[in-house]
Amino acid sequence: MSAANPSSAVRRASAVNPAWRYGRPALVLLLAGLAVGVPLWLVAVTSAKPQAEAITPNLDLPRHWQPGGNYEEAVSQGEMLHGFLNSLLVVVPSVALVLILGAGAAWVFARRKSKLVSAAYAICISGLLLPPAVITIVMELRQLGLAGTRPGMIAVYTGMYLSTSIFFMTGFIRAIPVELEEAARMDGASPLRIFRQIILPLLRPVIATATIMVMLYAWSDIFYAFFVLGGGEKATLPLNLYKVASAQLYLNNWHLVFAYVVVMSLPMVAIFLVAQRKIVSGITSGAVK
Amino acid sequence: MADTAIRTRTQKPAPAKGRGGKVGRLPRAAVHHPWWFALPAIVVFAAFFLVPNLLNFYYPFTNWSSYHPDIAFTGLDNFTTIAHDGSLLRAIRTTLLYALLAAVFQNGFGLGLALLLEADSRFNRFFRAVFFLPVLISALATGYIFQSLFNQDGAVNGLLGTDIPWLGSTSWTLVLVTVIHGWKWMGLSMLIYLAGLKGIPGEMLEAAKCDGAGPWRTFWSVRWPMLAPALTFNVTTALIGSMNTFDIVQATTGGGPAGSTEVFNIYMFRIFGQGLYAQASAMSLVLFLVVVAVAIPLVIGLRRREQLL
């Protein structure tokens, strides 16, 4: 009786389902087309149109294709390559520092137990909730001689995103059995060695997550870059995009704006596609516990 | 946790004795997980996050600006200025409303997508990635995309054959911008809700089925309560994160029309550009206080709810 019950319940459930079985994929397709397809289509076609066609952005295919010309113009006028390089020079060191410093701190926070440790941990993850005081950051950087420099920008991003990596990594390390470390310690391994050879490799999934999150934030940030770097020599890609788009009022250059948007987004999409599985598992294991 | 602690205690003496001279009388934790692993992070965080936030309790009370060669204490002048010109209350109201609506849309879209794409099929995995795409596009770019969609001579009006000033309403544009915010971040919420759904034990759902619960009943009585941790995380990050919003608003409306979408960060950006640093800093301090006032009860409340359920 009890064995028959669940199977009949399952059968009943799947009997309710047919409408849902075909309706659901149709709904998914419709939503994906409308919500994601339309905006991305707009970006793709507009970035391939000549200026005259792009003035009023619409979903029509370009009558005259000139993607090459647009991207070339964006590169030369919008200083795209320069911005790309500037972005890399700021984002890569920031991510590296966030990961290395964050992992070290997370290890100590996860393993040691004292009031001092939990206080330090609480302070270090307070950045998850508290907003960075961007105006006085500028003041402090000026006094340190770091205003408008890449090291200044790197320091600001690192300080800002350390909380995220420490939070995710501490949770993750707590789930790693201490016995692994103890075994290595018995063999005479130093803390540095244990950290490098046991903890860091095990952290790989959460490192993938933290990497993509911090990279995403730093790569697309314009707010803090505006205050710290300003518009000049060191301007990152988003700052350049902002400049190109602000000229919009006089130039109506949607074709350039969207060429820029494509170039700016592709690296992130590529990274996501490569590391997708790790990112997803990392996000999910870190957030829901 | 407890039993591993006990086991380490009984195992420890052997290696400690072996290197007794080197280790001396330092406590074990200090030898095995020394502070200097954490110090660089603490120093950087303190120098570039904590110190600026502490300075932010001083500079709003000065006349710091690009017009004064040196900085003098002026008391509450900056606060009275922003209170009198109305920007203070407006920024608070706009930001709170923005955060609330953005959190609602982001979580609504995210939960809907998670339920829609819950089963682990190839079809669903593909579309999860599709709905995650907006997360990968920078917020500034997202803003421009939707500006060209909702511009009065933009694609949406062109498609519908209408002539609606989507971004020109002093009451509804804010709502539209929060929908855009929800659109950008729905993929992240979806992932976290999916993780929450996956964490529900299968026996529980089977038991509900045996008891004759339909999909609706199962959702409200079993799945929704079990989603509490995911909800806590999503609501907190969405609400607090969107109080710090800038890019999407700047790119779609720039704070307009008539300042109706001028959130804290837009105000700071504008006033800083005019060289009124202390005044911008005053607004930054208010943002800090508002975030603290929202975050603490929110986290406590959601945690308590998790335990009740």
Side-chain angles (χ1 to χ4, degrees):
Chain A
M1 195 60 192
S2 62
N5 239 350
S7 68
S8 72
V10 168
R11 216 174 301 132
R12 201 182 328 131
S14 54
V16 183
N17 273 346
W20 184 236
R21 221 163 113 194
Y22 299 103
R24 192 190 62 87
L27 185 63
V28 170
L29 282 171
L30 183 76
L31 281 178
L34 274 182
V36 183
V38 168
L40 295 190
W41 173 260
L42 178 82
V43 172
V45 292
T46 311
S47 77
K49 284 177 185 175
Q51 182 170 16
E53 276 185 60
I55 284 180
T56 52
N58 56 34
L59 304 177
D60 301 342
L61 276 173
R63 258 164 287 143
H64 175 76
W65 289 82
Q66 56 158 53
N70 286 346
Y71 286 89
E72 232 168 71
E73 205 183 331
V75 168
S76 59
Q77 263 194 23
E79 295 173 44
M80 196 187 267
L81 289 180
H82 203 77
F84 202 92
L85 190 68
N86 282 338
S87 278
L88 277 183
L89 285 175
V90 165
V91 172
V92 173
S94 305
V95 172
L97 280 174
V98 164
L99 294 177
I100 296 170
L101 304 189
W107 190 41
V108 174
F109 291 151
R111 291 299 192 223
R112 291 183 69 152
K113 306 224 157 21
S114 75
K115 284 213 174 99
L116 187 63
V117 172
S118 23
Y121 175 67
I123 288 173
C124 280
I125 63 163
S126 67
L128 282 175
L129 296 180
L130 301 179
V134 61
I135 313 288
T136 44
I137 284 175
V138 175
M139 180 62 159
E140 193 194 322
L141 290 177
R142 278 184 192 165
Q143 283 164 348
L144 294 172
L146 290 174
T149 68
R150 287 193 197 102
M153 190 76 252
I154 294 168
V156 170
Y157 283 148
T158 310
M160 229 155 62
Y161 301 128
L162 260 176
S163 298
T164 315
S165 81
I166 289 178
F167 175 72
F168 276 88
M169 287 177 175
T170 305
F172 197 87
I173 294 176
R174 279 189 185 136
I176 300 175
V178 203
E179 283 80 358
L180 281 178
E181 289 179 31
E182 275 159 12
R185 204 170 292 128
M186 298 277 239
D187 297 338
S190 64
L192 186 63
R193 193 152 163 186
I194 292 175
F195 180 69
R196 267 207 341 248
Q197 299 197 327
I198 297 180
I199 300 299
L200 279 187
L202 286 172
L203 277 179
R204 229 178 284 154
V206 75
I207 283 177
T209 316
T211 307
I212 186 102
M213 294 310 288
V214 175
M215 220 179 230
L216 258 178
Y217 291 140
W219 186 261
S220 49
D221 166 63
I222 178 183
F223 190 61
Y224 303 100
F226 168 81
F227 286 101
V228 175
L229 293 174
E233 265 289 273
K234 315 245 162 53
T236 51
L237 270 180
L239 283 172
N240 282 351
L241 168 63
Y242 182 68
K243 213 170 75 187
V244 171
S246 304
Q248 176 75 18
L249 286 172
Y250 323 102
L251 298 174
N252 257 317
N253 47 8
W254 282 119
H255 59 306
L256 291 186
V257 171
F258 286 135
Y260 233 103
V261 168
V262 170
V263 171
M264 237 176 94
S265 313
L266 280 183
M268 289 301 115
V269 175
I271 289 173
F272 177 75
L273 290 181
V274 171
Q276 191 192 3
R277 202 162 289 170
K278 281 210 181 104
I279 292 158
V280 171
S281 72
I283 288 178
T284 52
S285 70
V288 189
K289 228 177 237 160
Chain B
M1 260 321 169
D3 68 337
T4 57
I6 290 162
R7 227 175 299 148
T8 52
R9 205 153 294 151
T10 51
Q11 268 175 12
K12 234 1 18 99
K17 226 180 276 168
R19 300 180 299 171
K22 213 164 105 198
V23 167
R25 262 191 282 153
L26 277 174
R28 222 174 32 229
V31 177
H32 296 158
H33 304 102
W35 268 111
W36 58 263
F37 274 90
L39 259 155
I42 294 173
V43 168
V44 172
F45 182 76
F48 296 99
F49 192 93
L50 284 185
V51 168
N53 258 325
L54 289 176
L55 290 177
N56 209 21
F57 280 86
Y58 170 67
Y59 284 106
F61 304 98
T62 67
N63 63 356
W64 176 36
S65 78
S66 58
Y67 310 110
H68 293 277
D70 35 39
I71 296 168
F73 190 78
T74 56
L76 290 171
D77 282 7
N78 292 309
F79 293 94
T80 41
T81 309
I82 55 177
H84 278 296
D85 68 14
S87 42
L88 180 67
L89 271 182
R90 190 178 62 194
I92 294 178
R93 188 158 21 93
T94 312
T95 308
L96 286 177
L97 194 60
Y98 185 99
L100 186 72
L101 291 173
V104 168
F105 288 125
Q106 182 185 331
N107 279 280
F109 298 161
L111 182 60
L113 289 174
L115 290 171
L116 209 55
L117 301 171
E118 188 189 351
D120 252 325
S121 65
R122 191 174 285 181
F123 177 86
N124 285 354
R125 272 199 295 269
F126 174 79
F127 280 99
R128 283 176 203 165
V130 168
F131 286 110
F132 195 77
L133 272 178
V135 178
L136 302 168
I137 300 172
S138 87
L140 190 71
T142 305
Y144 291 132
I145 294 172
F146 279 91
Q147 204 213 324
S148 73
L149 277 169
F150 286 111
N151 227 330
Q152 198 150 4
D153 54 0
V156 170
N157 276 339
L159 213 59
L160 301 175
T162 49
D163 193 30
I164 303 167
W166 298 97
L167 297 170
S169 155
T170 48
S171 42
W172 290 106
T173 299
L174 182 70
V175 180
L176 181 62
V177 178
T178 58
V179 173
I180 299 170
H181 187 112
W183 179 85
K184 180 182 169 10
W185 290 109
M186 64 187 177
L188 198 60
S189 294
M190 170 191 74
L191 275 192
I192 290 155
Y193 281 121
L194 277 171
L197 287 172
K198 201 167 272 181
I200 300 172
E203 305 93 67
M204 231 166 168
L205 298 174
E206 251 168 59
K209 244 178 215 168
C210 289
D211 294 343
W216 207 236
R217 182 71 202 269
T218 314
F219 178 76
W220 283 115
S221 314
V222 181
R223 293 153 126 226
W224 176 245
M226 291 295 285
L227 278 178
L231 185 85
T232 304
F233 184 87
N234 268 340
V235 169
T236 317
T237 50
L239 208 56
I240 305 300
S242 56
M243 290 178 81
N244 217 6
T245 185
F246 172 76
D247 318 38
I248 292 180
V249 189
Q250 179 67 28
T252 46
T253 69
S260 63
T261 57
E262 191 165 85
V263 292
F264 279 110
N265 281 347
I266 297 269
Y267 179 89
M268 282 182 232
F269 182 79
R270 187 163 65 82
I271 293 297
F272 187 87
Q274 295 172 9
L276 300 167
Y277 307 139
Q279 211 166 300
S281 186
M283 205 52 122
S284 164
L285 177 60
V286 178
L287 170 66
F288 180 91
L289 296 175
V290 170
V291 168
V292 169
V294 171
I296 291 175
L298 180 75
V299 172
I300 293 175
L302 284 173
R303 273 288 156 81
R304 194 170 295 159
R305 174 179 170 276
E306 260 177 58
Q307 273 149 19
L308 285 179
L309 286 169

